[in-house]
Amino acid sequence: MIMRKVSPGHETYQSGSTNKVWVERPNSAGGVSVRFSYRNDSTKNIKYVTFTVVPYNAVKDVQRCTTRRQSEMHLRVTGPINAGNTGSCTFENVWYNSTICTVELRKIELEYMDGSTETLAGPDIRYEDPPKPSTGCYVATAVYGSYDCPQVWTLRRFRDGALAGSWYGRAFIRTYYALSPTLVRWFGQSKWFRRLWRRPLDRLVARLQAQGVADTPYRDQPW
């Protein structure tokens, strides 16, 4: 299975319209729903999928539901999800906690129609290819599994706030974006590639955060 997106938030009516939109923040009661979109890239039909998710606040502390007092939740989707098909699902009010702003997908448990099972966890969870715009953090997205997660938010802030401020920084960025899309396209789904880059990126992210670079949600800046 390849994940396309994992998004915490809630569904609400668009102002002045009967159309509903997805808003990536808790609702007025503090309820946080989770929306998944995915693709079954296997040759087998999926019977059940169980997603294990954990919520975080803006400073990356694990949060609990204020009513059920739980952090980790196990959310099951009933298929069949046929081979090659895409799908999406929404679990409403998984937690009640107004401080939740991000969700980490820790594990995917798959049960196929033929009775076989598979468990994906950590770096084995695969995501769709990173976005194509020139500002995409290709390698970091492949390593951390999402363009919108705390580690990549930190790296994007560093790119826009520090590297892009000098000619040599911009030259590095342009060189990186000239090479990294091809590397990720060839090797981004390989375990060895993600493991190769994970440790140096973890060190860089930790150093940047120690210097005060935030890991909260971020919108790319033009440069």
Side-chain angles (χ1 to χ4, degrees):
M1 171 170 280
I2 293 180
M3 298 304 300
R4 305 179 74 185
K5 192 171 184 181
V6 180
S7 176
H10 71 281
E11 196 172 52
T12 187
Y13 285 102
Q14 194 171 14
S15 179
S17 171
T18 57
N19 297 325
K20 285 189 173 182
V21 294
W22 182 256
V23 180
E24 293 188 345
R25 63 174 181 269
N27 63 26
S28 58
V32 180
S33 302
V34 183
R35 175 171 288 180
F36 300 93
S37 57
Y38 47 81
R39 176 165 58 88
N40 179 6
D41 66 327
S42 74
T43 59
K44 299 187 289 186
N45 298 338
I46 296 172
K47 185 177 183 180
Y48 300 113
V49 183
T50 303
F51 299 106
T52 299
V53 289
V54 174
Y56 292 86
N57 63 11
V59 294
K60 208 178 175 183
D61 293 327
V62 174
Q63 296 300 291
R64 294 192 297 175
C65 178
T66 57
T67 58
R68 293 188 290 270
R69 312 303 297 173
Q70 289 179 267
S71 294
E72 186 174 272
M73 294 291 187
H74 307 280
L75 310 175
R76 170 173 274 201
V77 177
T78 300
I81 305 169
N82 294 331
N85 282 8
T86 60
S88 63
C89 58
T90 301
F91 293 86
E92 295 187 354
N93 297 320
V94 178
W95 305 275
Y96 283 93
N97 185 325
S98 60
T99 69
I100 292 172
C101 62
T102 61
V103 167
E104 176 187 353
L105 176 58
R106 290 191 172 176
K107 186 167 61 175
I108 303 174
E109 296 169 275
L110 301 164
E111 181 179 339
Y112 295 98
M113 295 294 288
D114 64 5
S116 61
T117 61
E118 183 179 11
T119 299
L120 307 172
D124 293 331
I125 297 175
R126 295 178 298 156
Y127 287 78
E128 235 176 19
D129 288 341
K132 299 302 181 183
S134 62
T135 55
C137 287
Y138 293 90
V139 172
T141 299
V143 169
Y144 293 111
S146 174
Y147 189 64
D148 287 302
C149 66
Q151 297 93 334
V152 180
W153 287 329
T154 297
L155 294 169
R156 287 159 57 191
R157 277 189 173 88
F158 173 68
R159 176 200 63 201
D160 295 345
L163 287 180
S166 64
W167 69 266
Y168 48 86
R170 291 191 294 273
F172 171 82
I173 293 170
R174 292 190 180 97
T175 301
Y176 171 82
Y177 289 132
L179 300 175
S180 60
T182 300
L183 288 175
V184 170
R185 186 167 59 251
W186 287 350
F187 308 117
Q189 298 299 324
S190 304
K191 293 180 182 178
W192 67 263
F193 180 86
R194 299 196 297 272
R195 288 170 179 164
L196 174 70
W197 285 98
R198 182 65 185 250
R199 185 170 294 179
L201 283 175
D202 281 346
R203 288 198 296 264
L204 174 59
V205 168
R207 186 166 67 249
L208 293 173
Q209 290 176 353
Q211 294 170 356
V213 181
D215 66 349
T216 52
Y218 179 71
R219 178 175 295 179
D220 293 336
Q221 303 299 312
W223 53 269

